[in-house]
Amino acid sequence: MKLSVPKERRRDERRVAASPDTVKKLVGLGFEVLVETGAGTESGFADDAYTEAGAAIAADEAETLAGGDVVLKVQRPLIEAEHGGDEVALMKPGATVIGALAALQHPPHAEAYAKAGLTAFSLELLPRITRAQSMDILSSQSNIAGYKAVLDGAGAFGRALPMMMTAAGTIPPARVLVLGAGVAGLQAIATAKRLGAIVTGYDVRPAVKEQVESLGAKFLAVDESATTDAETAGGYAREMGASYKEREAEVLTEALARNDIAICTALIPGRPAPLLISADMVKGMRAGSVIVDLAVEQGGNCELSEAGEVAEKHGVTILGHVNVPSRLAENASSMYARNLLNFLTPLVDRENGTLAIDWEDEIVSACLIAREGEIVHPSLVPPNADKDVA
């Protein structure tokens, strides 16, 4: 089997889908690995490191993709309707493409995979089960994002984070408010605490209170009696009702006025990010305060966030960096590459040197977008469509 690792071509993407370490393991699984020249450069992986691990280096994208039975990607491949080239057209029919394809948010891409005869797996759709934890790209990349968000916020903040007691006087600690206590939020809380800040965490799910407090942070509660149904079966936050949102706005307005840095991480799967910080709330924050909006690519938790921009509004610096994991590309790539390796390994029949996919496996079925010329994911298939893929 041939496995292709092309260079990522989307804007602001510095990661790569395979590291030299995972290439070595992929070769051990029986793959002939082909890496596009320069694919890992921005992640700190030179071509020589890949060749030492057992990969061959391809001269360009076309050569990399032409023979790949399996294609590993970070972001969804470019299609004909986009500028910058058609990556899907370069893949051979029957190839299996694996990555963070964001197919539910981009249905035309799912259609392109089916039309090209590709088998497509979108790993952000992995079920939240124990067996899938080592494959969980959302968790691995959110950890990186939460850590980097605090560093970015500290860098933009004009004062020190920890308390400093010196002969010249005492510097009080900064106060950090983290909105959303998922993987990114919890990592942000832990990082801000390590840097010496006084940290408060907020989430609509009362179940995460213990996790927030276990990291040494205070938990900001709005109305615990109204949050008994705030969590989905998959462990994600639900969108709350109007009365809760009114009370939430009051509590957050007061909290934001007391804090110096706000880290926004709240997301609702399949929906725009919840608006938590209004323009009026920003006006009430201290001059010199900082907001880091990790949800900016999904609409933002802050009304004044601008994707890809650093904005100054009402004396507050608002960071809208996109693709934050890519800002720590080496670590993010290493973790992402291991996620893909862990997903791919059970699909390989080492004795026969082929893929042996159990289509009934719950991990496989949850991530499968297209197969044998058809879109097969339930969220993308019309309810009355007559599709029967054996």
Side-chain angles (χ1 to χ4, degrees), residues 262-331:
I263 309 291
C264 301
T265 74
L267 290 171
I268 298 174
R271 305 194 66 172
L275 180 61
L276 300 177
I277 303 178
S278 68
D280 286 340
M281 292 181 190
V282 176
K283 290 180 183 178
M285 295 178 71
R286 301 170 181 170
S289 296
V290 177
I291 296 172
V292 184
D293 197 343
L294 289 182
V296 70
E297 292 174 89
Q298 283 73 48
N301 293 149
C302 176
E303 184 179 3
L304 301 181
S305 299
E306 300 175 20
E309 301 293 335
V310 175
E312 297 283 343
K313 303 290 178 69
H314 310 297
V316 176
T317 301
I318 305 174
L319 307 183
H321 296 306
V322 298
N323 197 355
V324 173
S326 188
R327 292 167 59 80
L328 288 176
E330 182 173 347
N331 296 130

Side-chain angles (χ1 to χ4, degrees), residues 55-68:
I57 303 299
D60 55 30
E61 180 185 29
E63 182 183 343
T64 306
L65 295 174

Side-chain angles (χ1 to χ4, degrees), residues 11 53 55 119 207 245 259:
R11 184 179 177 183
T119 297
K245 288 182 179 180
N259 281 271

Side-chain angles (χ1 to χ4, degrees), residues 369-385:
I369 298 299
R371 180 187 172 206
E372 296 181 355
E374 301 284 356
I375 296 174
V376 298
H377 195 278
S379 297
L380 293 168
V381 177
N384 298 321

Side-chain angles (χ1 to χ4, degrees), residues 136 142 148 181 194 258 307 373:
D136 189 350
S142 292
K148 182 59 173 168
R194 286 196 294 268
R258 296 193 302 267

Side-chain angles (χ1 to χ4, degrees), residues 10-59:
R10 291 194 177 275
R11 184 179 177 183
D12 300 313
E13 186 53 77
R14 300 174 60 230
R15 292 171 293 176
V16 64
S19 66
D21 179 61
T22 61
V23 163
K24 187 180 297 184
K25 292 178 173 61
L26 289 166
V27 171
L29 288 174
F31 286 105
E32 179 184 329
V33 181
L34 193 61
V35 178
E36 183 178 355
T37 184
T41 300
E42 292 190 274
S43 297
F45 306 135
D47 287 352
D48 287 348
Y50 285 112
T51 56
E52 289 174 9
I57 303 299

Side-chain angles (χ1 to χ4, degrees), residues 123 126 131-137 339-340 342-343 346 363:
L123 294 199
L126 280 163
R131 192 160 53 91
Q133 287 181 349
S134 67
M135 313 168 190
D136 189 350
I137 62 173
N339 291 148
L340 266 60
N342 292 335
F343 176 80
I363 291 176

